Amino acid sequence: MASNILFLPFRRTHTVSLSAAIRQYISSKYDQHPDMFVTDLAAIDQLRADAISSLEPHVSGIKKLTAYTAQLVWIGGKFPIDIGVDFTWYPALGYNTQTPVSQNNLRFELANVLFNLAALYSQLAVSLNRSTSEGLKSACNYFCQAAGVISHIKEEVIPDMRSSPPEDMDTMTLESIQQLLLAQAQECFWSKAVKDGMKDGIIARLAAKVSDFYDRAAEYGTKSDTISTEWIHHMTAKHHHFAAAAQYRASRDCLDKQNYGEEVARLRDSIVCVNEGLKESRYLNKIVLGDLNGLKARVSEDLKRAEKDNDVIYLMPVPPKSELKTLDRAGMATARVPQEISDPASTLGEGGQFGQPLFAKLVPYAVHIAASIYEERKNRMVNVNIIDEMEGLTNKLRDLLQSLNLPGSLQALEKPLGLPPSLTSHAEEVRQQDGLHRLRRSMHETSKLKANDMAIYQEGVDLLRSEAAEDDRAKLKHGTDRWNRLPSQQAAEKLYAQVTEIDGYLKSAASSDDLVKAKLKDCEKVLGVLSGSDRDLEEFVPSSRRATMTPNVERAAYNLRNMLNEVSQLVSRRKRQVDKICDKAKRDDINEAILAETARLEREMPMQKIEPANFETLFEERLERYDEDRKLITTESEEQDQLSAQLKEANTAFATARKGDSSTRDREQALQKLENAYIKYKEIINNLNTGRKFYNDLANIVTRFRDGCKNFAYQRRVEAGQLESDLSNAMSVLSLSQVTSLQDQKQRETLRSQYSAKAPSSEPLTAPTPTRAAVQPPPPTAPTPGMWNPEMGIKFGGALAQQPNSDVHNPAYPSAKPRGGQWDMNQGVKFG
């Protein structure tokens, strides 16, 4: 239906399964199972179906389009822009509206849905009854909202697409559309002002602004490749129309103010503007043309009256146009972005008009990475910077004791016969724990865990290799042009990264296992004695004669014993501190803090993809809680240095007091070996416990890795089967005409090759003698003029010229002379 205003047409699309792409992405990229989001997956497909079916001017379509838009913006922060589904849309403007455009791009989908929302607003404005003030007011509001949506597409969505926009969404086209919508919104306000009987001066300023909007719309339209010439002519005519209307209303204002000369000047300019608009008459619909002609008639009538009155009565000078004051503008139309579009987060969640955001419980993969990064940093700080430092201090202290032959030298002196109580308690502890058997059994169990992890890991690697080999075979079979899916390493980038990562874990663990085995081998013999019976210990530790302890020796031994007790207390207290720090690190769960930070980022930046770098500030704040523990290392080191100096001093005094006494030397060495073996035993137990925990944790990692490889290989085989089927179908639809055409082409090439040799140019070819099979000829019939008869044989140009009553004319060769019986290849073949 013809109208004096324009509306945006809807964009059309095809149905696609967005949920299938999301399910696939969750399955391959997240640790959560897609079945957790069955309701959300169904909801997103329903939202899209409702949105793309809203192709009529009804207010119910606004909610459908904005609801889908809000969820699209929300999931844009959960998933990458290339989610894995090709969205196909047909342009709404231009000359290629039947050519679809497809992009694997969530922002492309968002831009098209928003364009349809702007189209809906514009069509709602056109569908209203604009003969009433209320209808004009509503239409103005709809046009302003449509312009706001177009502005949002242009400024927020298109720059974030990371790809080329459709040809009817380039900057010039969107600018032209936005100015057109604002012009029509301003026109509705102007019409309402006229209907409400507002002052002519105000109406003139409103009309001047309408003219400006149409002028800019036409200017941008000429720079666009998709705005039709029909629209450009329409906008140009409307620009001149409202320039004329503005001058006409300004002339009426001059009449009220008794500025009769200016009135005439403005009416004359109004006529000029109307005539400029009428130059577009052949391209305009009847309503727009009728508006122009109606305005021209009215202005012409007023101009005659004004000129007559001024010439006869008022006699005021008529200023030239250059001296007329430029009309002020009263802009009432602005691009207003609906809140549902500018702040979609406010429409979702508790109290939101569109309910809960979809996939809210889906933790972005970056969050898992961030949590892993924090765990790694925390463990490195705790284990390397704190615990390892403390254990290093303790080992340094034990090395000092061993170098001083302590406590063996003191024990040998204090108890020359039998076994020292500390040695007896250590031996009892080892025996109760089954000593060597426990260590060997634990090593065997650790080896089984390692072998199991290796087998699971290797199974996953073999699956990836097998899938990659199948893909390579398919590429060789079909060619890379037709077999154009992503290579295996790109399609499963995360899995292939895990291959290297897990391999590094296993190699590092193997090195640690070898170190533990070496420790056990070094102390295995002495540890066997320590885990044996008391008789074995007594046989291993030689007795010595009871030495007469002088007061100096007794005093030195007493001081040394006190220092050893202090060392023992220091080691025990340090062990408790390490246990406390380990427990603190174990309870340090950052997941809730990361999820809270993720929710904040999703609210404040809904279209920005969450990256691990977004959590750096949080990491730094959380790790500050270990600063006190790190300072503890300095305190411990200073205290140990002081204690070590005192221990050395006490041992020196003890050695000096016993100088020359070698009666307990063998006993000292035996006791020290047993003490060292006990310390190694405790170290190996800790090492084996750490290794067992490592391989148990690694079992979960390699199991998830293998399952991921299984899923990936299965999905790739399904995808390959579908691709094979598509290629087979593509070959089967080759039509018979195409096959025939290929056969004909091949036959022509064969014939061409047979007759490709050039004939000698020195002598003409002799005409061939036609022969026919010996069959009974049909009854003679009168030859039809102009038709060749087999009875005539084949006649060449020369012979035909000699026939009587022959007036055959050859326009191509008018001077050709007959050559009896011989054919010249340059004269072609002539039939009778």
Side-chain angles (χ1 to χ4, degrees):
M1 183 176 67
S3 174
N4 64 344
I5 58 177
L6 302 174
F7 63 85
L8 291 179
F10 287 114
R11 302 172 76 87
R12 296 178 296 109
T13 184
H14 295 308
T15 301
V16 297
S17 180
L18 180 55
S19 64
I22 294 176
R23 172 182 283 274
Q24 167 66 22
Y25 193 83
I26 293 174
S27 177
S28 61
K29 300 293 184 181
Y30 289 81
D31 290 336
Q32 294 164 281
H33 198 279
D35 287 346
M36 295 172 58
F37 308 98
V38 172
T39 304
D40 292 345
L41 291 168
I44 193 65
D45 276 347
Q46 187 59 50
L47 284 171
R48 186 177 196 275
D50 292 342
I52 66 176
S53 63
S54 301
L55 300 181
E56 57 182 18
H58 194 277
V59 291
S60 63
I62 297 176
K63 184 175 181 180
K64 294 177 181 178
L65 288 165
T66 51
Y68 181 49
T69 296
Q71 296 291 356
L72 269 181
V73 173
W74 167 258
I75 67 176
K78 292 280 186 180
F79 302 103
I81 191 172
D82 50 344
I83 185 64
V85 57
D86 289 328
F87 298 102
T88 301
W89 288 86
Y90 290 85
L93 303 173
Y95 307 97
N96 299 312
T97 55
Q98 300 304 314
T99 303
V101 179
S102 296
Q103 287 192 26
N104 175 17
N105 192 320
L106 282 174
R107 304 293 186 274
F108 174 73
E109 169 85 345
L110 178 62
N112 283 279
V113 174
L114 287 175
F115 189 96
N116 271 5
L117 179 61
L120 177 60
Y121 280 132
S122 71
Q123 294 187 31
L124 285 172
V126 174
S127 67
L128 291 172
N129 180 9
R130 298 191 306 282
S131 62
T132 64
S133 294
E134 194 62 32
L136 287 168
K137 181 180 177 181
S138 297
C140 176
N141 182 55
Y142 279 138
F143 277 129
C144 287
Q145 288 181 301
V149 174
I150 293 296
S151 173
H152 184 77
I153 295 173
K154 178 186 65 181
E155 296 174 4
E156 301 295 335
V157 181
I158 296 298
D160 198 38
M161 277 183 60
R162 308 174 197 171
S163 63
S164 300
E167 62 178 5
D168 59 342
M169 283 193 190
D170 66 300
T171 302
M172 293 297 107
T173 301
L174 293 179
E175 283 284 1
S176 179
I177 292 172
Q178 182 179 341
Q179 296 301 319
L180 171 64
L181 294 169
L182 289 173
Q184 296 184 158
Q186 181 82 8
E187 182 178 349
C188 290
F189 199 92
W190 171 85
S191 298
K192 184 177 184 300
V194 172
K195 185 173 290 294
D196 293 347
M198 298 182 74
K199 293 182 178 180
D200 289 315
I202 295 175
I203 296 176
R205 293 197 292 273
L206 291 171
K209 189 62 178 178
V210 176
S211 177
D212 291 347
F213 279 133
Y214 275 119
D215 184 35
R216 286 199 291 269
E219 181 183 354
Y220 285 119
T222 57
K223 298 176 183 178
S224 166
D225 294 331
T226 53
I227 298 296
S228 66
T229 55
E230 179 184 357
W231 277 28
I232 294 174
H233 289 304
H234 172 92
M235 294 184 287
T236 303
K238 297 281 276 190
H239 158 59
H240 293 302
H241 179 133
F242 279 94
Q247 292 289 33
Y248 171 68
R249 287 289 177 169
S251 73
R252 294 186 60 171
D253 186 55
C254 292
L255 178 60
D256 292 341
K257 295 177 180 178
Q258 300 180 357
N259 295 331
Y260 303 111
E262 184 178 347
E263 177 196 10
V264 173
R266 291 196 180 278
L267 286 170
R268 287 176 180 173
D269 189 54
S270 181
I271 284 293
V272 172
C273 291
V274 169
N275 288 332
E276 285 294 322
L278 287 172
K279 290 180 181 179
E280 310 287 340
S281 59
R282 61 184 293 188
Y283 307 106
L284 306 176
N285 64 48
K286 293 181 180 180
I287 296 180
V288 177
L289 186 59
D291 290 344
L292 277 169
N293 286 324
L295 179 60
K296 181 178 181 180
R298 191 168 183 179
V299 173
S300 298
E301 183 180 344
D302 279 15
L303 179 59
K304 289 179 182 178
R305 188 245 335 133
E307 288 178 336
K308 181 178 179 181
D309 290 350
N310 192 54
D311 291 343
V312 175
I313 303 172
Y314 308 115
L315 303 175
M316 285 188 175
V318 178
K321 181 179 180 180
S322 59
E323 295 182 6
L324 290 176
K325 181 183 177 182
T326 302
L327 294 177
D328 293 332
R329 267 59 175 167
M332 303 304 295
T334 57
R336 294 198 299 272
V337 185
Q339 185 182 5
E340 296 86 352
I341 303 304
S342 62
D343 186 19
S346 64
T347 65
L348 301 173
E350 293 295 334
Q353 59 176 314
F354 300 140
Q356 294 294 332
L358 301 180
F359 308 102
K361 295 182 180 179
L362 177 66
V363 180
Y365 182 63
V367 172
H368 293 287
I369 298 297
S372 300
I373 291 173
Y374 177 75
E375 284 295 318
E376 181 183 354
R377 290 185 185 177
K378 179 188 70 175
N379 292 335
R380 184 168 62 247
M381 176 176 287
V382 171
N383 294 329
V384 176
N385 297 341
I386 300 176
I387 295 178
D388 286 356
E389 289 290 334
M390 283 194 171
E391 289 183 350
L393 290 174
T394 302
N395 290 333
K396 185 178 179 181
L397 190 57
R398 285 171 176 164
D399 291 341
L400 176 62
L401 292 173
Q402 187 174 354
S403 67
L404 298 176
N405 202 24
L406 292 173
S409 60
L410 188 59
Q411 289 175 343
L413 179 65
E414 292 175 338
K415 191 173 180 59
L417 299 174
L419 301 174
S422 60
L423 177 60
T424 305
S425 63
H426 290 166
E428 184 62 25
E429 180 184 347
V430 173
R431 283 196 290 266
Q432 287 180 355
Q433 294 177 358
D434 203 15
L436 278 174
H437 294 291
R438 176 188 177 182
L439 296 182
R440 291 174 180 141
R441 185 170 61 251
S442 182
M443 281 188 173
H444 179 67
E445 290 173 355
T446 302
S447 298
K448 287 174 63 178
L449 289 174
K450 178 182 179 181
N452 184 59
D453 290 351
M454 285 287 294
I456 296 174
Y457 165 71
Q458 192 60 46
E459 184 180 351
V461 172
D462 292 342
L463 285 168
L464 289 180
R465 288 176 179 170
S466 176
E467 188 283 324
E470 291 174 4
D471 190 58
D472 290 340
R473 285 194 295 271
K475 282 181 182 177
L476 290 174
K477 178 180 178 182
H478 299 285
T480 55
D481 289 339
R482 288 186 292 175
W483 197 265
N484 54 5
R485 66 174 182 170
L486 285 175
S488 299
Q489 290 198 2
Q490 294 182 20
E493 186 177 356
K494 178 184 173 183
L495 291 174
Y496 276 91
Q498 284 183 311
V499 171
T500 306
E501 183 181 3
I502 296 174
D503 184 63
Y505 291 158
L506 290 170
K507 288 180 179 178
S508 176
S511 177
S512 298
D513 292 343
D514 292 340
L515 183 61
V516 173
K517 290 177 182 178
K519 283 184 182 180
L520 178 60
K521 185 176 181 180
D522 289 342
C523 67
E524 187 173 11
K525 184 176 180 181
V526 179
L527 196 57
V529 175
L530 190 63
S531 60
S533 63
D534 287 344
R535 170 171 283 187
D536 295 331
L537 286 173
E538 290 173 353
E539 289 179 354
F540 184 79
V541 179
S543 297
S544 62
R545 62 178 176 82
R546 180 176 296 274
T548 304
M549 295 181 64
T550 65
N552 289 337
V553 173
E554 188 173 350
R555 185 168 50 252
Y558 176 78
N559 291 334
L560 184 58
R561 171 56 62 188
N562 287 339
M563 295 307 304
L564 287 176
N565 290 338
E566 289 188 25
V567 169
S568 179
Q569 291 172 4
L570 174 66
V571 172
S572 298
R573 187 190 70 222
R574 187 173 290 168
K575 185 177 184 303
R576 290 194 299 270
Q577 289 173 336
V578 168
D579 292 340
K580 183 178 178 181
I581 294 171
C582 290
D583 185 61
K584 177 182 176 180
K586 185 178 181 181
R587 289 184 283 104
D588 181 13
D589 187 359
I590 199 175
N591 287 324
E592 290 187 7
I594 288 182
L595 291 175
E597 179 68 8
T598 302
R600 184 187 69 80
L601 293 172
E602 289 176 340
R603 286 194 306 270
E604 296 180 1
M605 299 175 290
M607 294 186 70
Q608 179 174 325
K609 185 180 179 182
I610 304 297
E611 299 288 351
N614 298 129
F615 304 98
E616 284 298 328
T617 304
L618 176 63
F619 294 164
E620 293 175 1
E621 293 175 355
R622 296 280 294 201
L623 291 175
E624 286 178 358
R625 61 180 60 188
Y626 297 99
D627 287 348
E628 291 297 325
D629 301 315
R630 296 177 65 183
K631 293 178 181 177
L632 187 63
I633 301 296
T634 304
T635 305
E636 289 286 324
S637 179
E638 292 174 354
E639 183 178 353
Q640 179 168 312
D641 288 343
Q642 183 179 359
L643 184 61
S644 297
Q646 293 173 355
L647 179 64
K648 289 179 181 178
E649 184 179 350
N651 187 69
T652 301
F654 176 72
T656 302
R658 294 190 61 214
K659 192 172 183 179
D661 184 7
S662 59
S663 60
T664 61
R665 183 173 300 170
D666 293 339
R667 181 176 177 82
E668 290 174 12
Q669 293 177 352
L671 290 173
Q672 193 62 43
K673 286 181 181 180
L674 292 171
E675 181 69 19
N676 294 341
Y678 173 76
I679 293 173
K680 289 292 184 183
Y681 171 75
K682 300 294 286 186
E683 285 182 10
I684 294 171
I685 288 178
N686 288 332
N687 294 151
L688 291 174
N689 288 337
T690 302
R692 183 165 55 252
K693 182 179 182 302
F694 169 80
Y695 285 118
N696 281 328
D697 293 341
L698 185 62
N700 296 327
I701 296 174
V702 295
T703 300
R704 285 198 299 269
F705 166 72
R706 180 197 59 189
D707 293 344
C709 294
K710 283 183 178 179
N711 292 334
F712 171 72
Y714 173 75
Q715 290 159 7
R716 290 277 284 186
R717 288 192 182 98
V718 172
E719 180 184 311
Q722 183 62 43
L723 191 53
E724 289 265 10
S725 177
D726 293 343
L727 292 174
S728 299
N729 292 337
M731 294 298 294
S732 65
V733 298
L734 188 63
S735 65
L736 182 60
S737 60
Q738 292 173 307
V739 176
T740 305
S741 175
L742 292 172
Q743 292 175 344
D744 291 345
Q745 182 181 357
K746 185 175 181 180
Q747 185 177 6
R748 286 195 299 272
E749 291 176 353
T750 303
L751 292 173
R752 191 180 297 115
S753 64
Q754 292 175 354
Y755 295 102
S756 60
K758 295 184 179 180
S761 58
S762 58
E763 59 179 90
L765 294 176
T766 304
T769 303
T771 58
R772 294 192 299 273
V775 296
Q776 184 66 27
T781 58
T784 302
M787 181 179 294
W788 175 70
N789 191 322
E791 294 297 328
M792 298 168 57
I794 300 178
K795 308 297 183 182
F796 294 91
L800 184 60
Q802 297 179 4
Q803 289 182 2
N805 302 323
S806 174
D807 58 352
V808 175
H809 174 63
N810 186 347
Y813 307 99
S815 59
K817 295 181 180 181
R819 297 174 183 265
Q822 288 187 337
W823 173 59
D824 189 346
M825 63 180 289
N826 294 321
Q827 295 194 10
V829 180
K830 302 293 184 280
F831 295 96

